[in-house]
Amino acid sequence: MYNFTLWDILSNLLLAARWTVLLSVIAFVCGGIAGILVLLARVAPLRPLRTAMKLYIELFQGTPLLMQLFIVFFALPLTGIETSPWTAAAVALTLFTSAYLAEIWRGCVEAVPRGQWEASASLALSYGEQMRYVVLPQALRIAVPPTVGFSVQVVKGTAVTSIIGFVEVTKAGTMITNATFQPFLVYGLVGLIYFVLCYPLSLSAKALERKLNVAR
Amino acid sequence: MSLADQSVSPSARPLVKLSNIRKSFGSVEVLKGVDMAVQEGQVVAMIGRSGSGKSTLLRSINGLERIDDGVIEVDGECVDPSQIDLRALRLKVGMVFQQFNLFPHLTAGENVMLALKVVKKQDKAACRAAAEAALSKVGLGHKFDAYPSQLSGGQQQRVAIARSLAMAPKVLLCDEITSALDPELVNEVLSVVRQLAEEGMTLLLVTHEMRFAREVCDSLVFMHGGRIIEQGPPAELFDRPQTPELAQFVGMVEAR
Ligand SMILES: Nc1ncnc2c1ncn2[C@@H]1O[C@H](COP(=O)(O)OP(=O)(O)OP(=O)(O)O)[C@@H](O)[C@H]1O
Ligand SMILES: [Mg+2]
């Protein structure tokens, strides 16, 4: 039987970790863009739109990510869209991320004092202009720390996609364990990789939060 | 005292005309049919007990509160409860708030320029010139690049006044604009208002500064329970109140 060196294991895990990173980035960027749209609809001065988005958010917050992944993976093919584990993972994580980010950002928009809306309204700004020039810039500042903090959840969330056969770092760990019978070593390394990815994000979220608190 | 006395326009149509304004919050009627007229160049102060509806009335005039009934007319711009587009009205009515409400992420200059750029679509140079002029007018030309957090309350309120003035409104509404200020900062704001009054700006103020009201205003409006129950020249109202409510209010204020 072939003997795996530590380097063999680690290099294979790192190769798979590229997919974890890529999936995280895609989910975060696409989820962020979708999240902005959901946010705008969620706070729009149109009740049906707000209610629809509230449902959307509650749906994704109220069900396990794993379920969402299964549904996307098995439901998309029914609509005729060819679904690889890769697409399903990206779509599910994007939807999940958009819902959470929209809800985080809604809190930030609502934290902008009412006086800011009133002052800008009295200067004859339209709703869109108020949002763009007065409210969103202020909400953005408050939003940075929790947004960066949430990116950690996205990175960890990618682990779930191993279940539909997407080979990111967790799935790679399982495969290598099956070949080497060294679960502690392999999963230890997998955990370490997640930690190296996530810890800087948590740290910077905390640092940003401190910086913003000082600035006020 | 002001331009209004000398230059009443031929038609003598008031600049601001309120007819039968009604407004309820839930089941509580806060404005119970208010009629009022402000001539161009007039300085009018509204006084009255807390909860008498002064702020609500003022906020209705630029559409921050949607009225339930009645008509608001400002310089030919008519608003009734069915109206949704308020832009035209708000271009004619400026407002200054008790809490300043400057945009904290923008400098003083940017605060003033924002609506000029976004609403009036003026080019950069014109915006800057107008903002500099407006800030100089309130004595803060040198604070163009300061952020609100770097300014005192009095300075912030003067920037807020400049921000409204730069839009060249026909009338400026001021809701207790010195109430949030430390006592030593009140006068710098009042003297700006006084200067505006002298220049013929039409002003409608809610104020608790009775001495200021007496000295600067052409007319005083006393609100009580959602109605205007007395109005006239300040000296007359203060010295010879006709209703027990006003007499009590004046006594209360003067006892302070
Ligand atoms: N958004 C609102 N929702 C419910 N009630 C309100 C609202 N705004 C004002 N009110 C009520 O309307 C009444 C009049 O309020 P308003 O603020 O106009 O009084 P005011 O004369 O300006 O008083 P103050 O001198 O305290 O500023 C008060 O009883 C107040 O509680
Ligand atoms: Mg008030």
Side-chain angles (χ1 to χ4, degrees):
Chain A
M1 187 180 128
Y2 179 79
N3 243 340
F4 288 88
T5 64
L6 180 64
W7 173 244
D8 286 330
I9 295 174
L10 190 61
S11 60
N12 276 301
L13 286 178
L14 286 175
L15 285 177
R18 289 179 311 175
W19 294 105
T20 296
V21 172
L22 187 65
L23 184 59
S24 303
V25 169
I26 287 182
F28 198 70
V29 171
C30 297
I33 294 167
I36 290 174
L37 299 177
V38 176
L39 165 73
L40 290 177
R42 178 68 185 86
V43 296
L46 263 180
R47 163 123 353 131
L49 209 52
R50 284 204 306 265
T51 313
M53 289 305 120
K54 186 163 177 244
L55 278 174
Y56 175 87
I57 290 169
E58 274 170 6
L59 191 71
F60 282 94
Q61 290 197 330
T63 55
L65 176 57
L66 187 59
M67 285 287 312
Q68 297 163 20
L69 192 64
F70 280 153
I71 289 176
V72 171
F73 188 54
F74 295 113
L76 274 190
L78 298 181
T79 64
I81 304 171
E82 203 180 314
T83 318
S84 63
W86 168 235
T87 359
V91 169
L93 272 170
T94 294
L95 295 177
F96 168 83
T97 306
S98 71
Y100 272 86
L101 285 181
E103 186 63 7
I104 291 173
W105 293 341
R106 182 182 68 89
C108 299
V109 165
E110 284 175 0
V112 174
R114 215 166 58 116
Q116 296 289 309
W117 286 100
E118 296 187 342
S120 48
S122 75
L123 290 166
L125 270 70
S126 67
Y127 175 81
E129 293 161 351
Q130 290 178 289
M131 265 292 180
R132 173 161 170 215
Y133 295 104
V134 177
V135 176
L136 287 184
Q138 293 182 56
L140 192 70
R141 272 195 208 188
I142 333 172
V144 172
T147 303
V148 175
F150 179 72
S151 66
V152 172
Q153 302 303 319
V154 177
V155 175
K156 291 194 286 191
T158 58
V160 166
T161 62
S162 61
I163 219 135
I164 56 168
F166 180 63
V167 185
E168 37 64 71
V169 70
T170 303
K171 179 75 179 174
T174 309
M175 289 157 71
I176 294 170
T177 302
N178 288 342
T180 61
F181 306 109
Q182 288 183 293
F184 285 115
L185 174 67
V186 176
Y187 284 122
L189 288 174
V190 169
L192 195 63
I193 291 175
Y194 277 117
F195 186 75
V196 167
L197 289 176
C198 293
Y199 190 58
L201 291 173
S202 311
L203 269 192
S204 49
K206 287 209 186 76
L208 285 166
E209 192 161 0
R210 234 174 297 129
K211 199 169 136 202
L212 281 167
N213 282 340
V214 173
R216 243 182 265 151
Chain B
M1 189 183 270
S2 76
L3 292 180
D5 304 328
Q6 302 131 35
S7 61
V8 176
S9 58
S11 62
R13 216 170 62 170
L15 184 64
V16 180
K17 187 160 181 285
L18 309 180
S19 321
N20 191 34
I21 306 297
R22 288 178 182 275
K23 168 77 188 173
S24 302
F25 290 110
S27 60
V28 184
E29 194 168 36
V30 172
L31 298 178
K32 301 175 181 164
V34 176
D35 296 293
M36 184 174 167
V38 180
Q39 304 295 331
E40 188 158 5
Q42 225 184 2
V43 179
V44 177
M46 287 195 325
I47 57 172
R49 286 224 309 257
S50 179
S52 56
K54 307 179 298 290
S55 296
T56 308
L57 183 62
L58 214 58
R59 293 159 54 82
S60 304
I61 300 176
N62 74 348
L64 287 179
E65 301 290 355
R66 184 87 74 85
I67 54 174
D68 302 325
D69 197 11
V71 179
I72 299 170
E73 221 182 305
V74 178
D75 191 32
E77 210 60 60
C78 213
V79 199
D80 61 49
S82 65
Q83 196 113 1
I84 298 171
D85 177 27
L86 296 164
R87 197 151 168 134
L89 176 75
R90 285 172 175 164
L91 282 170
K92 299 194 168 180
V93 184
M95 180 145 184
V96 184
F97 301 83
Q98 186 174 340
Q99 300 296 339
F100 328 141
N101 295 342
L102 290 184
F103 308 133
H105 60 300
L106 302 178
T107 63
E110 289 165 344
N111 262 276
V112 180
M113 290 190 293
L114 180 65
L116 296 174
K117 181 180 81 178
V118 172
V119 179
K120 294 210 160 171
K121 314 269 185 250
Q122 293 181 2
D123 64 43
K124 257 201 180 124
C127 285
R128 182 153 188 118
E132 277 169 353
L135 283 174
S136 303
K137 196 177 177 80
V138 299
L140 291 172
H142 58 296
K143 294 290 187 188
F144 195 93
D145 293 316
Y147 281 91
S149 59
Q150 300 166 319
L151 300 173
S152 75
Q155 290 173 329
Q156 289 188 50
Q157 194 58 295
R158 282 146 68 198
V159 173
I161 294 173
R163 182 173 68 178
S164 283
L165 283 183
M167 294 295 282
K170 287 280 187 178
V171 51
L172 190 63
L173 312 175
C174 301
D175 192 358
E176 297 193 36
I177 61 171
T178 57
S179 294
L181 295 175
D182 293 337
E184 73 271 21
L185 300 176
V186 167
N187 277 330
E188 65 182 63
V189 172
L190 288 186
S191 66
V192 168
V193 179
R194 192 185 295 258
Q195 178 198 335
L196 292 178
E198 279 162 9
E199 289 170 4
M201 181 82 202
T202 311
L203 295 167
L204 186 50
L205 326 156
V206 173
T207 184
H208 290 306
E209 304 285 339
M210 294 305 151
R211 203 165 64 91
F212 180 82
R214 196 190 267 261
E215 285 171 14
V216 176
C217 299
D218 306 305
S219 172
L220 209 58
V221 169
F222 176 60
M223 283 197 72
H224 186 83
R227 288 195 179 84
I228 294 177
I229 62 171
E230 275 196 57
Q231 56 186 319
E236 210 156 284
L237 261 71
F238 281 128
D239 300 337
R240 286 178 294 280
Q242 302 296 308
T243 56
E245 288 86 357
L246 179 56
Q248 194 200 6
F249 181 81
V250 170
M252 197 177 72
V253 171
E254 274 168 3
R256 261 191 297 190

